[in-house]
Amino acid sequence: MNPRGETYLWIAQRASAAVLGLCVLVHLATIIYAVQGGLTGAEILARTRGNAGWLAFYAIFVAAVAVHAPIGLRSVLAEWLGWRGRGRDAALVAFALILAGLGMRAVLGVYA
Amino acid sequence: MSATLNVSVWRGGADGAYRDYEVPRHESQTVLDVVTHIQRALDPTLAYRYACRVGMCGSCAMTVNGAPRWTCRTHVDKVYKNRKLEIAPLRNLPVIRDLVADMREFFDKWARARGQFRGARTKADDFARVAPGSEARKLVDAAIECIGCGVCYSACDVVAAIPEYLGPAALNRAWTLAKDERDTLGVDRLRAVAGDAGCHACHTHMSCTERCPKGLSPTAGISGLKRAVAGAALRGEL
Ligand code: SF4
Ligand code: SF4
Ligand code: FES
């Protein structure tokens, strides 16, 4: 990849980190709040089903993970395994799609 | 203070080995004094490198008890722990012989990082006046006193993992030029330092800053380069 592409990856890494920081905080705060009164699975589903705000928040969360993790893994693969070039980047695109797919599957599972 | 020092010194090339010497101990003795004593009194075939002996030339750096240091200004008292002094060539560079590392790749990377000043003035012009209090000038001042010793390069684990990585010293140099208002290379230099072999490979773990004998922070300069490169990319200039 050329320096410009690598710079965009770095920007994406930083931006997704900022989003993740916020999302993790909201996520943890929600969990702690939700389990206080001892919610059941059915009660949780009653709140998440059809809730567009909830769907949007977790869709953004999943997208940030799918961007952030593969870029970090890219450096790990280069430094520890010496794996660089197109093969690695193609594998990482696949990894990003798997993360996004599994993540959205989980999100839709409690939304729909 | 015991009368002698037990010193292990690397002998030979990459496949060499440590050899032990006993060296008389003195007050205010530096590691370079120890190496010099070995060569002059015990074994004249020992190869090592130094010039100024006062921390200016940057030629005397070696690995001392596992850490890179400038030997002419490292006192034995500071490093002689557990009655052991182990002296080896700098890490992350090929060994030529004994304590002499091959610095070519290190300095070639300065050139690759576009470490040369490129100005617009000629000798017919007046001196450039750079306001000492300006933000850019302060950033340059904080990073400019590099003596090219290679200690930071030897301390950096990313250099060990990615041989093409330009490394802290070359990037620090590029940073001082990027912030030099007289320099005209601009985006060409940012392009040279961007990417997986440049500033974006740095993990900000600060071994270079921890070890730099001049108290510089290549880490801060590299972070500055990342910001400058990102700015240029977002403006579509990169
Ligand atoms: S901060 Fe960057 S340049 Fe310095 S030692 Fe760490 S990775 Fe190397
Ligand atoms: S930045 Fe410090 S450690 Fe690195 S070469 Fe310059 S003086 Fe030596
Ligand atoms: S001999 Fe010049 S810096 Fe040590």
Side-chain angles (χ1 to χ4, degrees), chain B residues 99-158:
Chain B
L99 299 173
V100 182
D102 185 343
M103 304 293 284
R104 273 179 296 185
E105 178 70 355
F106 174 72
F107 286 114
D108 284 351
K109 285 179 175 176
W110 287 47
R112 251 179 270 154
R114 308 300 296 268
Q116 313 87 345
F117 174 77
R118 174 91 59 84
R121 293 178 183 238
T122 70
K123 63 184 179 185
D125 295 315
D126 192 8
F127 289 113
R129 286 185 174 69
V130 182
S134 75
E135 260 334 290
R137 172 65 183 266
K138 283 195 225 154
L139 290 170
V140 174
D141 281 349
I144 200 70
E145 294 289 345
C146 172
I147 57 173
C149 64
V151 162
C152 54
Y153 188 85
S154 176
C156 177
D157 285 341
V158 174

Side-chain angles (χ1 to χ4, degrees), chain A residues 16-111:
Chain A
S16 58
V19 173
L20 279 177
L22 204 70
C23 288
V24 168
L25 282 181
V26 174
H27 178 65
L28 289 177
T30 311
I31 293 176
I32 291 167
Y33 168 76
V35 298
Q36 295 240 321
L39 281 177
T40 65
E43 282 168 328
I44 291 178
L45 284 178
R47 289 164 204 220
T48 59
R49 285 226 161 103
N51 185 333
W54 190 91
L55 175 70
F57 175 79
Y58 278 96
I60 290 170
F61 199 158
V62 166
V65 170
V67 169
H68 193 83
I71 302 176
L73 197 57
R74 190 169 176 271
S75 302
V76 175
L77 292 175
E79 287 175 28
W80 287 81
L81 304 179
W83 193 17
R84 301 185 173 82
R86 277 165 194 275
R88 171 197 59 176
D89 291 344
L92 288 169
V93 169
F95 178 59
L97 292 174
I98 291 170
L99 280 180
L102 291 178
M104 281 316 291
R105 184 165 165 261
V107 172
L108 290 174
V110 278
Y111 171 77

Side-chain angles (χ1 to χ4, degrees), chain B residues 152 155-159 165 167-168 201-209 218-219 222:
Chain B
C152 54
C156 177
D157 285 341
V158 174
V159 173
Y165 176 45
C202 170
H203 289 317
T204 321
H205 62 28
M206 299 188 84
S207 300
C208 53
T209 302
T219 316
I222 294 168

Side-chain angles (χ1 to χ4, degrees), chain B:
Chain B
M1 195 162 91
S2 61
T4 56
L5 297 163
N6 303 312
V7 189
S8 298
V9 178
W10 186 261
R11 300 304 308 269
D15 53 357
Y18 286 99
R19 195 178 300 169
D20 294 334
Y21 300 91
E22 270 192 19
V23 176
R25 190 158 188 190
H26 301 295
E27 198 119 2
S28 301
Q29 191 176 18
T30 65
V31 174
L32 185 64
D33 292 336
V34 170
V35 174
T36 300
H37 175 89
I38 293 172
Q39 197 216 42
R40 293 201 179 156
L42 305 176
D43 188 347
T45 65
L46 176 65
Y48 68 111
R49 196 193 273 130
Y50 76 98
C52 73
R53 295 175 296 128
V54 291
M56 289 172 67
C57 71
S59 62
C60 67
M62 302 168 198
T63 304
V64 180
N65 280 354
R69 295 181 178 278
W70 55 357
T71 54
C72 70
R73 299 202 57 187
T74 299
H75 281 248
V76 169
D77 290 344
K78 191 173 163 188
V79 290
Y80 193 57
K81 303 272 155 62
N82 307 320
R83 304 188 46 75
K84 188 192 100 175
L85 187 58
E86 191 182 85
I87 310 175
L90 281 180
R91 185 177 81 125
N92 289 345
L93 292 161
V95 188
I96 296 175
R97 183 162 72 84
D98 302 343
L99 299 173
V100 182
D102 185 343
M103 304 293 284
R104 273 179 296 185
E105 178 70 355
F106 174 72
F107 286 114
D108 284 351
K109 285 179 175 176
W110 287 47
R112 251 179 270 154
R114 308 300 296 268
Q116 313 87 345
F117 174 77
R118 174 91 59 84
R121 293 178 183 238
T122 70
K123 63 184 179 185
D125 295 315
D126 192 8
F127 289 113
R129 286 185 174 69
V130 182
S134 75
E135 260 334 290
R137 172 65 183 266
K138 283 195 225 154
L139 290 170
V140 174
D141 281 349
I144 200 70
E145 294 289 345
C146 172
I147 57 173
C149 64
V151 162
C152 54
Y153 188 85
S154 176
C156 177
D157 285 341
V158 174
V159 173
I162 309 177
E164 318 83 71
Y165 176 45
L166 293 172
L171 291 171
N172 181 72
R173 171 65 184 162
W175 170 242
T176 61
L177 292 168
K179 284 285 138 187
D180 188 329
E181 63 184 51
R182 302 164 305 163
D183 188 273
T184 56
L185 205 55
V187 169
D188 283 341
R189 182 177 294 108
L190 293 182
R191 205 172 288 130
V193 300
D196 290 348
C199 62
H200 295 115
C202 170
H203 289 317
T204 321
H205 62 28
M206 299 188 84
S207 300
C208 53
T209 302
E210 168 84 17
R211 289 286 164 214
C212 173
K214 296 292 288 177
L216 309 184
S217 177
T219 316
I222 294 168
S223 300
L225 284 176
K226 286 176 182 168
R227 284 192 298 276
V229 168
L234 292 175
R235 286 191 300 274
E237 296 168 1
L238 202 64

